[in-house]
């Protein structure tokens, strides 16, 4: 046996101080009409399914890939600048070696010759260090190029998926947007005829219901929302239209077949 979500006396204050029977009946019809319109809007949005979210996810993924590619491209430029700098340094070192070598031929003693030899050795070590740094930077550049190529291919695949999903979504929106816009306007018009407290309760119940149903009919002696059995006496009260009654278990507003039939006939006309 399902537990009651609220005691009857805790639910009733939402809909207290009912007026004449006819007024209550009109309220029930208005609420049920609003529910019918809201359900039609829900159906249209269900047809779209998860496409809007999928499109958004793909767009976010592509944006992320673009960011990675841009950052890697910046790093590649930095390494390329570094390589150019080291190559220029090598040219400078080579010029120094040539200069020191030329000077060695003009020295007058061994001490000056050995001093120049040390300078030449130092310049050669600097060349070796620069060449090592060039090799490291070159390896980094190659690794970056591989990653950029990988991310570019992934981006291309994601873009293809995005184009397909967008086309599907555009087709669905094209087919349903006019109908949805009309229903939204009808819902707004219907809300104008419903008192604020009832409209607030309707929206609260609808937001808390997984299927978006705030107003349901009694079907086979049970609530059309949670399917819990409704006592015979309570069903009699629902049929009398003297007050707005909610389900003891799920809190949904209950209407009988008479209200349902009348509203659906009105809609059909």
């Amino acid at each position: 046996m399902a537990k009651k979500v609220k005691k009857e006396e805790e639910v009733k204050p939402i809909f207290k101080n009912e007026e004449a029977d006819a007024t209550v009946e009109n309220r029930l019809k208005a609420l049920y009409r609003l529910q019918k319109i809201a359900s039609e809007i829900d159906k249209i949005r269900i047809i779209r399914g998860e496409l809007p979210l999928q499109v958004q996810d793909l767009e976010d993924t592509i944006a992320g890939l673009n960011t990675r590619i841009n950052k890697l491209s910046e790093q590649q430029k930095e390494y390329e600048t570094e390589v150019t700098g080291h190559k220029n340094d090598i040219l400078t070192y080579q010029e120094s070696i040539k200069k020191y070598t030329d000077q060695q031929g003009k020295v007058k003693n061994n001490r000056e010759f050995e001093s120049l030899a040390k300078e030449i050795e130092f310049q050669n070590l600097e060349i070796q260090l620069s060449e090592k740094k060039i090799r490291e930077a070159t390896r980094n550049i190659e690794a970056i190029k591989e990653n950029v190529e990988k991310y570019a291919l992934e981006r291309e695949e994601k873009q293809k998926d995005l184009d397909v999903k967008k086309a599907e979504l555009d087709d669905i929106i094209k087919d349903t947007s006019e109908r949805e816009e009309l229903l939204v306007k009808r819902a707004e018009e219907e809300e104008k005829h419903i008192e604020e407290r009832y409209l607030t309760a309707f929206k609260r119940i609808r937001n808390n219901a997984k299927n978006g149903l705030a107003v349901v009919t009694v079907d086979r002696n049970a609530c059309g929302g949670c399917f819990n059995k409704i006592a015979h006496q309570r069903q009699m009260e629902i049929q009398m239209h003297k007050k707005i009654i909610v389900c003891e278990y799920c809190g949904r507003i209950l209407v009988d077949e008479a209200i349902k039939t009348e509203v659906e006939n009105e809609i059909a006309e």
Side-chain angles (χ1 to χ4, degrees):
M1 178 68 68
K3 294 182 178 180
K4 297 180 180 180
V5 294
K6 299 177 181 177
K7 293 180 180 179
E8 184 175 348
E9 57 268 22
E10 292 176 324
V11 176
K12 279 185 177 179
I14 300 175
F15 306 106
K16 64 183 179 180
N17 299 326
E18 308 299 349
E19 297 174 2
D21 294 355
T23 303
V24 173
E25 186 171 331
N26 288 335
R27 285 174 181 153
L28 288 168
K29 289 176 185 177
L31 288 166
Y32 189 68
R33 274 195 301 271
L34 182 57
Q35 179 62 68
K36 293 290 290 183
I37 296 168
S39 294
E40 285 297 314
I41 295 172
D42 289 343
K43 286 178 184 177
I44 290 173
R45 291 173 180 172
I46 288 170
I47 290 173
R48 293 175 193 165
E50 297 182 354
L51 275 176
L53 291 176
Q54 291 173 356
V55 167
Q56 185 62 55
D57 286 343
L58 285 167
E59 288 176 340
D60 291 343
T61 300
I62 291 171
L65 290 168
N66 285 332
T67 299
R68 291 184 196 176
I69 290 171
N70 290 336
K71 286 184 177 179
L72 287 171
S73 296
E74 290 174 4
Q75 289 177 5
Q76 181 178 333
K77 288 179 182 178
E78 290 174 2
Y79 283 123
E80 288 172 346
T81 300
E82 182 181 336
V83 168
T84 301
H86 290 311
K87 285 181 177 180
N88 290 333
D89 289 341
I90 289 173
L91 291 174
T92 301
Y93 299 142
Q94 288 173 338
E95 289 175 1
S96 296
I97 290 172
K98 184 177 182 301
K99 181 183 71 173
Y100 294 141
T101 301
D102 290 342
Q103 288 177 1
Q104 276 183 323
K106 300 175 183 178
V107 296
K108 297 178 180 179
N109 55 60
N110 289 335
R111 185 175 60 80
E112 290 180 0
F113 185 89
E114 288 176 0
S115 176
L116 290 170
K118 288 181 179 179
E119 286 294 336
I120 291 171
E121 183 182 1
F122 176 76
Q123 298 301 316
N124 278 320
L125 289 173
E126 289 292 338
I127 288 173
Q128 291 175 19
L129 180 60
S130 292
E131 288 175 340
K132 179 183 177 182
K133 290 181 178 179
I134 288 173
R135 288 193 296 272
E136 290 174 352
T138 301
R139 283 195 295 270
N140 288 332
I141 289 170
E142 292 304 315
I144 286 173
K145 286 181 178 178
E146 289 179 6
N147 283 327
V148 167
E149 184 177 354
K150 180 183 71 174
Y151 291 139
L153 288 172
E154 185 179 352
R155 179 179 61 184
E156 185 178 346
E157 292 300 316
K158 295 295 183 183
Q159 187 62 53
K160 288 178 182 177
D161 291 342
L162 177 60
D163 291 342
V164 171
K165 297 293 184 185
K166 271 189 171 181
E168 291 178 8
L169 183 58
D170 288 344
D171 287 342
I172 292 173
I173 291 174
K174 183 179 179 181
D175 292 339
T176 60
S177 60
E178 187 175 341
R179 172 68 176 164
E180 181 182 7
E181 185 178 344
L182 178 63
L183 288 169
V184 168
K185 287 181 179 179
R186 283 179 57 189
E188 291 172 352
E189 285 300 315
E190 198 65 50
E191 288 179 0
K192 293 177 183 178
H193 303 296
I194 300 174
E195 293 166 74
E196 185 62 33
R197 61 193 178 112
Y198 295 103
L199 185 58
T200 299
F202 172 87
K203 290 181 177 179
R204 176 180 57 76
I205 297 168
R206 181 168 151 73
N207 288 336
N208 291 333
K210 290 182 179 180
N211 55 10
L213 295 177
V215 184
V216 296
T217 56
V218 178
D219 187 18
R220 297 180 182 179
N221 301 319
C223 169
C226 66
F227 310 112
N228 280 293
K229 290 291 182 181
I230 298 173
H232 180 71
Q233 179 59 37
R234 199 165 184 79
Q235 290 186 53
M236 294 291 290
E237 292 175 356
I238 294 167
Q239 292 170 6
M240 292 172 68
H241 307 158
K242 289 186 176 180
K243 59 182 178 179
I244 295 177
I245 297 174
V246 300
C247 175
E248 298 173 285
Y249 301 95
C250 67
R252 290 179 173 89
I253 301 166
L254 298 168
V255 297
D256 64 344
E257 281 295 324
I259 294 289
K260 174 185 175 183
T261 301
E262 190 168 344
V263 169
E264 289 182 351
N265 287 338
E266 287 176 5
I267 293 174
E269 293 175 359

